[in-house]
């Protein structure tokens, strides 16, 4: 990748001050094209109530259909948007898509969206999010923002004022990826106004073979009960994982076992519950 990592001196800028990478320019071009050219798409994955398999909510997940590279992972897409200085635009696009999808789903169902720390640091992002709620007519209490550390640490002091303003509107927050190596973990609970704990798929999937994972899941469930928070176990792929998680006290789950993330159109035509019932037999 040495070719794309070359440095160039910006015309008219002082050497060593206004340098920027050709790679970043390419990321910007690509991401602008993606936003304007309809290359971005949202998929939705149900969050189900384990015992009955009803969809309580959906998580919105970004998909990028790149014209030459094919499908690009959302983590890479988000990194490209950050490099390109377009992350707030992408996060707002994601929020708008989620708000529009909410109308189509049953009124009781809420949508979870992943929003980057970078956007949440900016008070202006909150203003723009408010506009999205007004424009789409989506009530903010139908939206839950998932907080994760995929690209940056959750620095409570910088994002807290914005989270509190969003919470006043009715938006709720999840702490994503609990138990994954990239997560700072439960310490964040002291600092951030979260109402849901999401157990990372690493724990859901290791629970059968690893007693530490099982202990961590039980611990998260007990803590959530005491603090009146919800828990969602992510990445449930098999019947064994599903049954074990139920016995560990997880009621809300998400994973390929129930449904893969899908475009909205395909979601409505299928009943999650029926698929789940067929799996469980
Ligand atoms: P995440 O928020 O923890 O999302 C869950 C990831 O697990 C998704 O990957 C989902 O497709 C995948 N998944 C769901 N069920 C299963 C399962 O049973 N097994 C396995 N192996 N995986 C499962 P995806 O869509 O590739 O997204 C990866 C990460 O990228 C997300 O992790 C999130 O951190 C980030 N991301 C995705 N969409 C967005 C977005 O719209 N905005 C932002 N800022 N970040 C996003
Ligand atoms: Mg998430
Ligand atoms: Mg997660
Ligand atoms: Mg994750």
């Amino acid at each position: 990748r040495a070719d794309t990592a070359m440095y160039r001196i910006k015309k008219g800028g002082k050497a060593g001050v206004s340098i920027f990478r050709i790679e970043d320019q390419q990321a910007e071009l690509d991401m602008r094209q993606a936003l304007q050219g309809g290359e971005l798409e949202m998929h939705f994955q149900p969050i189900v109530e384990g015992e009955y398999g009803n969809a309580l909510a959906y998580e919105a997940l970004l998909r990028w259909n790149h014209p030459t590279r094919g499908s690009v992972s959302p983590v890479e897409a988000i990194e490209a948007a950050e490099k390109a200085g377009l992350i707030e635009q992408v996060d707002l696009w994601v929020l708008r898509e989620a708000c529009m999808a909410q109308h189509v789903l049953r009124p009781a169902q809420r949508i979870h969206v992943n929003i980057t720390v970078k956007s949440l640091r900016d008070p202006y992002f909150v203003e723009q999010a408010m506009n999205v709620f007004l424009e789409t007519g989506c009530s903010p209490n139908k939206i839950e923002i998932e907080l994760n550390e995929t690209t940056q640490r959750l620095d409570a002091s910088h994002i807290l004022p914005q989270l509190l303003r969003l919470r006043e509107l009715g938006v709720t927050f999840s702490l994503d990826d609990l138990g994954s190596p990239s997560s700072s973990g439960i310490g964040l609970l002291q600092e951030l106004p979260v109402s849901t704990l999401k157990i990372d798929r690493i724990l859901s999937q290791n629970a059968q073979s690893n007693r530490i994972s099982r202990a961590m899941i039980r611990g998260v469930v007990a803590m959530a009960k005491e603090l009146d928070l919800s828990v969602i176990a992510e990445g449930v792929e098999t019947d064994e994982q599903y049954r074990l998680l139920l016995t560990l006290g997880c009621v809300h789950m998400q994973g390929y076992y129930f449904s893969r993330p899908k475009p909205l159109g395909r979601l409505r035509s299928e009943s999650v519950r029926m698929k789940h019932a067929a799996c469980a037999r």
Side-chain angles (χ1 to χ4, degrees), residues 19 34 53 115 137 153 190 222 236 238 255 269:
I19 59 168
I115 301 288
R153 290 259 152 241
Q190 299 254 50
V236 183
T238 69
S269 58

Side-chain angles (χ1 to χ4, degrees), residues 44-48 55 57-59 253-255 258-260 267 272:
F44 297 87
Q45 185 180 36
I47 296 168
V48 308
Y58 291 85
E59 179 172 4
M253 302 189 210
Q254 186 180 351
F258 306 100
S259 171
R260 289 195 175 245
L267 207 69
V272 176

Side-chain angles (χ1 to χ4, degrees), residues 150 176-177 200-201 234:
T150 305
D176 206 352
D177 305 335
D200 192 72
R201 72 165 180 267
E234 296 190 279

